[in-house]
Amino acid sequence: MKYTCTVLAVADIDAARAFYEDLFDLKVYQNYGINVSFTCGLALQQEFDWLVNLPKECVLKKPNNVEVCFEEEDLDAFLKKLEAYPELERLGGVVEHSWGQRVVRFYDLDGHMIEVGENMKMVVNRFLASGMTMEEVSAKMDVSLADLATLLNG
């Protein structure tokens, strides 16, 4: 068994493709007109109801039961880039989770929940640069020392 991709239902394939290429710097892997897949494993599908053989009214917008997650090495630069999309509905501002990762959440053009968070390796390095020991970082993030080492060396 091999996982291949996640497919998002979109109303306008051209607008959705431009949005993901511009804001997230995604690169197109395959383009079939009403279906576009990116090299990262995300795909966009216009006419999703047709694809999955469901009535249009069964394809829900903004279901709030899944999020598409991205990690960013420079979250502050991404936040500046996100300002170019004032029409996007945001789910509050930047949140710092208890494990130290800063994230922002918003809805894309079609109501899919998006999370963009700091790269976890960057979070660990930020803690270490502040003077915390690996043991303190492990306790703060609630992960084992082995997992931290894997993260830093991976």
Side-chain angles (χ1 to χ4, degrees):
M1 181 70 64
K2 177 185 172 187
Y3 172 81
T4 58
C5 72
T6 297
V7 180
L8 300 179
V10 300
D12 180 333
I13 193 71
D14 295 324
R17 174 185 171 178
F19 173 79
Y20 279 92
E21 285 179 318
D22 179 55
L23 188 57
F24 302 103
D25 297 322
L26 299 189
K27 306 296 179 223
V28 172
Y29 173 62
Q30 295 174 318
N31 181 352
Y32 298 110
I34 62 170
N35 177 281
V36 173
S37 61
F38 297 103
T39 56
C40 66
L42 181 67
L44 308 173
Q45 176 71 44
Q46 188 172 304
E47 300 177 23
F48 192 77
D49 57 311
W50 163 81
L51 178 70
V52 297
N53 196 29
L54 287 171
K56 282 189 185 294
E57 61 273 10
C58 290
V59 179
L60 304 177
K61 187 167 184 161
K62 209 168 161 185
N64 292 321
N65 62 356
V66 67
E67 69 179 0
V68 178
C69 300
F70 295 91
E71 284 192 345
E72 173 62 51
E73 288 190 14
D74 188 347
L75 185 63
D76 294 321
F78 175 80
L79 294 171
K80 287 188 185 342
K81 193 173 182 181
L82 186 60
E83 290 173 7
Y85 295 89
E87 73 281 8
L88 296 179
E89 181 182 350
R90 299 200 174 38
L91 286 89
V94 175
V95 173
E96 183 171 326
H97 287 293
S98 61
W99 56 90
Q101 183 187 36
R102 295 183 311 136
V103 303
V104 63
R105 289 184 178 89
F106 53 92
Y107 294 104
D108 74 1
L109 305 176
D110 292 283
H112 303 104
M113 189 183 302
I114 306 294
E115 173 191 293
V116 177
E118 290 178 297
N119 173 292
M120 291 305 293
K121 183 175 182 176
M122 303 297 291
V123 175
V124 174
N125 284 327
R126 179 167 35 92
F127 286 150
L128 293 172
S130 75
M132 293 174 74
T133 65
M134 284 290 280
E135 290 76 13
E136 291 169 328
V137 174
S138 172
K140 167 77 175 165
M141 297 181 75
D142 195 26
V143 297
S144 70
L145 288 169
D147 285 343
L148 286 179
T150 299
L151 183 63
L152 289 172
N153 297 323

